[in-house]
Amino acid sequence: MQHKPLFVTGIGTDIGKTLISAILVEKLKCDYWKPIQSGELDNSDTMKVQRLISNTTSVFHPEAYRLTQPYSPHKSAALDGIEIDEKTIIAPKTNNQLLIEGAGGLMVPLNNHALVIDLIKQLNAEVILVSQNYLGSINHTLLSIEALKQRSIPIKGVLFNGEENASTEDYITAYGEVPHLGRLPFMNTIDKESVKAAGEHIISPSA
Ligand SMILES: Nc1ncnc2c1ncn2[C@@H]1O[C@H](COP(=O)(O)OP(=O)(O)OP(=O)(O)O)[C@@H](O)[C@H]1O
Ligand SMILES: C[C@H](N)[C@H](N)CCCCCC(=O)O
Ligand SMILES: [Mg+2]
């Protein structure tokens, strides 16, 4: 059976999407695709995930846009003298489960009319939302869930990253009516071995 793509997004940038994508890619042996890379082209998210996984099944698909500057994609594109055309961003063909990593959070602009959340809808993907515990994260997580629901985008669940806060996690999953997909503790060492072992903290999103 062909699965819908899984789209790993977060409640903001730098929230742990790439690390969690690596753990999921290793656990599910799925393919990885980062459609838009802004900056760090010599150490892209695709290269980071590639370095952290051990299985030989996962295929890494080339980015649709490789932008040289580390900003919101709409700004990075403008600085490179181009405009992102979201309609040209087509999921790569594969018989394997495809995991897609977004850029920043849901309402990050691709150009002056389309946001990351519009791309998720266009790609007919299901979302894994990465949240992290900080004062204000309940608001950011529930707003993200609300935006997805408003557009009828399926939510596989919320994955919590870092320090545990059980009451926050309970509130988010109860009010948001979304599955809790586990919590990744802070990792002192990030390498192939620890990424493989970290799979135990994550509940495989149900089919
Ligand atoms: N659980 C964790 N333990 C240790 N370090 C972590 C953890 N989660 C994230 N980090 C570190 O925090 C930084 C940001 O994480 P990451 O690159 O995964 O964020 P991101 O959401 O993918 O950012 P972007 O929006 O740029 O794609 C990285 O250096 C990553 O290794
Ligand atoms: C460059 C960075 N690492 C991400 N890829 C893009 C983050 C864009 C955030 C925009 C915003 O929400 O203000
Ligand atoms: Mg990333």
Side-chain angles (χ1 to χ4, degrees):
M1 192 193 78
Q2 191 57 49
H3 297 279
K4 284 186 177 180
L6 286 174
F7 197 107
V8 175
T9 186
I11 61 170
T13 187
D14 254 358
I15 215 79
K17 295 185 303 292
T18 301
L19 179 58
I20 282 178
S21 295
I23 295 167
L24 280 163
V25 166
E26 183 62 6
K27 188 179 172 81
L28 306 176
K29 296 187 170 40
C30 59
D31 288 7
Y32 175 89
W33 182 43
K34 172 103 178 173
I36 303 163
Q37 175 70 39
S38 303
E40 283 202 280
L41 292 180
D42 54 352
N43 186 24
S44 65
D45 283 1
T46 303
M47 292 158 83
K48 289 177 192 166
V49 176
Q50 251 169 337
R51 273 202 304 273
L52 289 173
I53 65 127
S54 318
N55 85 79
T56 52
T57 307
S58 299
V59 172
F60 290 80
H61 300 276
E63 298 96 338
Y65 286 92
R66 289 171 54 80
L67 308 168
T68 63
Q69 304 301 313
Y71 302 113
S72 173
H74 79 295
K75 176 173 170 176
S76 300
L79 290 171
D80 282 350
I82 60 167
E83 196 181 310
I84 293 175
D85 178 358
E86 74 283 1
K87 296 282 176 256
T88 65
I89 304 181
I90 313 278
K93 289 219 178 328
T94 175
N95 290 323
N96 197 4
Q97 170 75 63
L98 179 66
L99 181 150
I100 308 170
E101 182 184 339
L106 289 167
M107 306 292 267
V108 166
L110 305 182
N111 48 39
N112 59 18
H113 60 269
L115 309 172
V116 164
I117 196 166
D118 300 313
L119 180 63
I120 300 176
K121 184 88 185 166
Q122 178 187 307
L123 294 170
N124 197 22
E126 301 183 303
V127 162
I128 292 179
L129 179 65
V130 179
S131 181
Q132 210 176 79
N133 177 47
Y134 56 83
L135 193 61
S137 71
I138 299 176
N139 177 49
H140 292 159
T141 311
L142 290 180
L143 281 170
S144 298
I145 292 170
E146 185 97 353
L148 290 163
K149 287 190 173 172
Q150 202 179 25
R151 290 163 179 80
S152 304
I153 295 173
I155 305 171
K156 288 301 219 181
V158 179
L159 234 160
F160 293 90
N161 185 22
E163 184 199 3
E164 181 173 20
N165 187 326
S167 80
T168 289
E169 293 170 26
D170 288 350
Y171 197 94
I172 288 169
T173 49
Y175 186 90
E177 297 179 313
V178 287
H180 188 307
L181 295 178
R183 186 180 58 81
L184 177 69
F186 183 81
M187 293 168 66
N188 287 313
T189 308
I190 299 175
D191 58 16
K192 284 188 183 191
E193 227 169 284
S194 59
V195 160
K196 200 177 173 66
E200 67 168 343
H201 299 293
I202 294 179
I203 298 162
S204 293
S206 59

